[in-house]
């Protein structure tokens, strides 16, 4: 098996896992988490302990005795960066022992397992693991550092509120995970796992989508009982079967730089086909006469198309119009693309079953900084 990364294809052996009566060995797992943290923090992504592992840290200052793995989350928009550090984690003694298309990685080191959930954004307020769990966005974005055995980990600022919503009375220990020891259960689990691994995408995502709709129904009921409003027409877009997943991102791209290339790389990693829309120069100058666009629309499109991650380049005027005019699955924006037009475009995406993700900036480079440096050098 292999996973595509920016450094090439990472090959791994996929295992049919079954944990039986395995219990986490604290010292070995702490060493794993400490090593993982050192690499994860280098790439500056949002990640932290999840689900039962979070309860163990906050309530027990340890690991739940019935949880055979350590659960963490990453965000879908950070998955490409995570895949890139897998190479470094392999050098540090980790093995990638399993990957599932819905967004799930299993890492092994020191005979202990770390389970990495990729959180897909299904609305402005909700993330989805691809499995049974849904998480409100605020608990992912608003975090605080928690000192766990000398390791600083991200946990929700309102951790009590989050765990109470997710699990009810989480302060009282309650075993929720069981692995039967008999051979029949083990082989049955392996059989169904093998079937899922070998289904074509069309059948796999249809099967996942069917089951996740039930989970989402229960989540919406839980939200209703808690008085937390959800958009009435929010959809599980990431689970819908489709042959090709098209990604759309938009911008001016006047001075192409490393940050733009990184944006295109990460955006392409979210799907199969990347469409980049460059804003029309005449339209920009019509509404911003003082704007200093250095390259024509055609020249900007020519340079963008030369970047290997880009499959198609188009021209747009209003962002809230272009999202309605072309076929795509995921709309990617940057943190500074938040004016009224983008808000309307994002709302349209959420109301029409399109995913929307915000990719963070690449540190140390921006178009405005480049223009300032050019102006300074010109004056000299």
């Amino acid at each position: 098996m292999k996973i595509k990364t920016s450094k090439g294809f990472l090959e791994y052996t996929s295992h049919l896992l079954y944990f039986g009566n395995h219990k986490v060995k604290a010292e070995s797992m702490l060493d794993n988490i400490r090593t993982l943290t050192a690499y994860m923090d280098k790439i500056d992504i949002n990640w932290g302990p999840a689900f039962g592992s979070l309860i163990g840290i906050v309530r027990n200052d340890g690991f739940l005795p019935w949880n055979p793995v350590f659960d963490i989350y990453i965000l879908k928009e950070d998955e490409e960066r995570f895949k890139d550090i897998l190479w470094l984690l392999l050098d540090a003694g980790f093995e990638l022992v399993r990957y599932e298309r819905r967004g799930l990685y299993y890492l092994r080191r020191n005979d202990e397992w770390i389970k990495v959930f990729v959180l897909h954004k299904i609305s402005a307020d909700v993330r989805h693991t691809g499995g049974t769990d849904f998480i409100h966005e605020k608990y992912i974005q608003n975090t605080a550092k928690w000192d766990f055995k000398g390791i600083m980990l991200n946990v929700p600022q309102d951790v009590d509120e989050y765990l109470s919503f997710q699990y009810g009375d989480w302060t009282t220990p309650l075993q929720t995970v069981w692995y039967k020891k008999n051979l029949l259960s083990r082989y049955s689990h392996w059989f169904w796992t093998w079937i899922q691994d070998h289904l074509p995408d069309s059948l796999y995502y249809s099967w996942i989508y069917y089951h996740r709709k039930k989970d989402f129904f229960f989540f919406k009921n839980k939200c209703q009982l808690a008085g937390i409003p959800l958009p009435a027409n929010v959809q599980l877009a990431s689970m819908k079967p489709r042959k090709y997943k098209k990604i759309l991102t938009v911008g001016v791209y006047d001075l192409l730089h490393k940050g733009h290339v990184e944006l295109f790389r990460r955006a392409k990693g979210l799907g199969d086909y990347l469409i980049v829309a460059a804003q029309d120069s005449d339209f920009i100058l019509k509404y911003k006469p003082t704007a200093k666009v250095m390259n024509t629309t055609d020249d900007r499109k020519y340079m963008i198309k030369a970047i290997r991650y880009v499959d198609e380049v188009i021209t747009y005027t209003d962002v809230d119009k272009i999202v309605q005019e072309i076929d795509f699955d995921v709309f990617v924006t940057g943190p500074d693309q938040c004016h009224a037009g983008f808000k309307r475009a994002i709302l349209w995406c959420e109301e029409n079953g399109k995913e929307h993700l915000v990719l963070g900036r690449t540190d140390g480079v921006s178009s405005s900084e480049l223009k300032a440096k050019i102006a300074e050098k010109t004056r000299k």
Side-chain angles (χ1 to χ4, degrees):
M1 304 293 287
K2 56 187 179 181
I3 290 179
K4 187 177 181 180
T5 76
S6 68
K7 300 178 181 179
F9 285 98
L10 187 151
E11 295 186 357
Y12 70 99
T13 301
S14 182
H15 294 70
L16 296 174
L17 301 177
Y18 191 82
F19 300 109
N21 59 351
H22 178 78
K23 293 184 179 180
V24 169
K25 299 179 184 66
E27 288 305 314
S28 295
M29 184 60 84
L30 282 171
D31 185 54
N32 289 348
I33 298 170
R34 192 174 292 110
T35 302
L36 179 68
T37 300
Y39 287 101
M40 295 287 271
D41 287 351
K42 282 182 181 178
I43 57 175
D44 191 30
I45 67 172
N46 187 335
W47 75 283
F51 313 122
S53 297
L54 177 61
I55 292 178
I57 287 173
V58 175
R59 186 184 67 203
N60 300 26
D61 192 31
F63 305 102
L64 295 182
W66 52 80
N67 195 354
V69 300
F70 188 78
D71 299 328
I72 71 170
Y73 73 84
I74 64 173
L75 307 185
K76 177 61 181 176
E77 53 265 42
D78 291 326
E79 187 176 7
E80 289 305 299
R81 286 180 172 173
F82 171 75
K83 287 195 292 186
D84 286 343
I85 69 159
L86 283 175
W87 298 92
L88 300 176
L89 292 175
L90 294 181
D91 291 339
F94 281 94
E95 297 175 82
L96 175 62
V97 294
R98 182 167 178 76
Y99 166 72
E100 296 182 12
R101 283 170 282 179
R102 64 187 176 99
L104 191 60
Y105 297 80
Y106 287 86
L107 302 175
R108 181 174 63 194
R109 183 173 179 265
N110 298 328
D111 291 322
E112 298 293 338
W113 289 267
I114 293 177
K115 196 173 180 180
V116 183
F117 291 88
V118 180
L119 301 185
H120 301 259
K121 196 170 185 180
I122 63 170
S123 79
D125 305 319
V126 179
R127 295 269 179 174
H128 180 213
T129 63
T132 59
D133 295 288
F134 297 84
I135 303 173
H136 288 100
E137 182 78 359
K138 69 174 184 176
Y139 299 124
I140 300 299
Q141 299 298 345
N142 302 326
T143 61
K145 291 294 184 181
W146 188 282
D147 187 344
F148 176 54
K149 310 291 186 182
I151 307 170
M152 304 306 293
L153 297 173
N154 294 317
V155 306
Q157 283 186 352
D158 300 319
V159 66
D160 180 76
E161 178 184 283
Y162 163 66
L163 292 175
S164 296
F165 171 82
Q166 201 81 1
Y167 303 105
D169 181 14
W170 63 276
T171 59
T172 301
L174 177 66
Q175 183 170 351
T176 57
V177 177
W178 290 267
Y179 287 92
K180 296 179 181 178
K181 301 177 186 178
N182 64 74
L183 285 177
L184 180 61
S185 297
R186 177 177 297 192
Y187 281 110
S188 175
H189 174 80
W190 282 343
F191 172 75
W192 287 111
T193 301
W194 187 91
I195 290 293
Q196 289 181 50
D197 285 350
H198 290 80
L199 285 174
D201 282 351
S202 58
L203 293 178
Y204 175 80
Y205 285 109
S206 294
W207 184 86
I208 290 286
Y209 185 58
Y210 172 77
H211 286 83
R212 297 296 80 86
K213 283 196 298 184
K214 296 179 181 179
D215 298 323
F216 190 49
F217 173 79
F218 289 118
F219 175 74
K220 286 198 292 186
N221 283 345
K222 187 188 293 187
C223 289
Q224 186 175 7
L225 291 173
I228 303 173
L230 282 179
N233 52 357
V234 67
Q235 301 180 39
L236 299 179
S238 62
M239 294 290 103
K240 287 185 176 179
R242 50 202 164 201
K243 187 174 181 180
Y244 293 107
K245 195 172 184 180
K246 293 184 177 181
I247 314 300
L248 170 67
T249 191
V250 304
V252 177
Y253 310 117
D254 190 24
L255 287 179
L256 279 176
H257 53 69
K258 173 186 173 183
H260 292 135
V261 177
E262 177 69 359
L263 167 68
F264 298 152
R265 181 184 76 84
R266 294 171 64 198
K268 179 63 175 285
L270 297 170
D272 308 292
Y273 190 87
L274 175 60
I275 305 167
V276 177
Q279 194 166 35
D280 180 72
S281 295
D282 292 338
F283 182 83
I284 296 171
L285 295 174
K286 178 180 177 180
Y287 290 94
K288 293 183 179 179
T290 59
K292 296 179 181 179
V293 181
M294 302 177 66
N295 294 289
T296 67
T297 304
D298 288 340
D299 285 349
R300 288 184 283 122
K301 290 173 67 177
Y302 177 81
M303 290 186 288
I304 294 167
K305 189 65 177 70
I307 296 172
R308 64 187 176 98
Y309 305 110
V310 179
D311 297 290
E312 182 180 349
V313 185
I314 60 175
T315 306
Y316 81 100
T317 54
D318 297 288
V319 64
D320 51 333
K321 291 180 180 178
I322 193 64
V323 294
Q324 301 179 46
E325 293 170 354
I326 67 167
D327 177 41
F328 71 96
D329 300 292
V330 183
F331 183 41
V332 170
T333 62
D336 57 341
Q337 292 177 314
C338 54
H339 63 62
F342 277 97
K343 290 178 181 178
R344 290 193 295 270
I346 293 165
L347 179 61
W348 184 90
C349 289
E350 293 176 358
E351 291 176 344
N352 289 273
K354 310 290 185 181
E355 294 179 67
H356 167 245
L357 293 174
V358 179
L359 296 187
R361 282 186 171 278
T362 300
D363 290 339
V365 61
S366 73
S367 297
S368 57
E369 289 175 357
L370 281 176
K371 288 183 178 181
K373 288 179 180 178
I374 292 171
E376 184 180 348
K377 288 183 180 292
T378 302
R379 286 195 296 270
K380 291 179 179 179

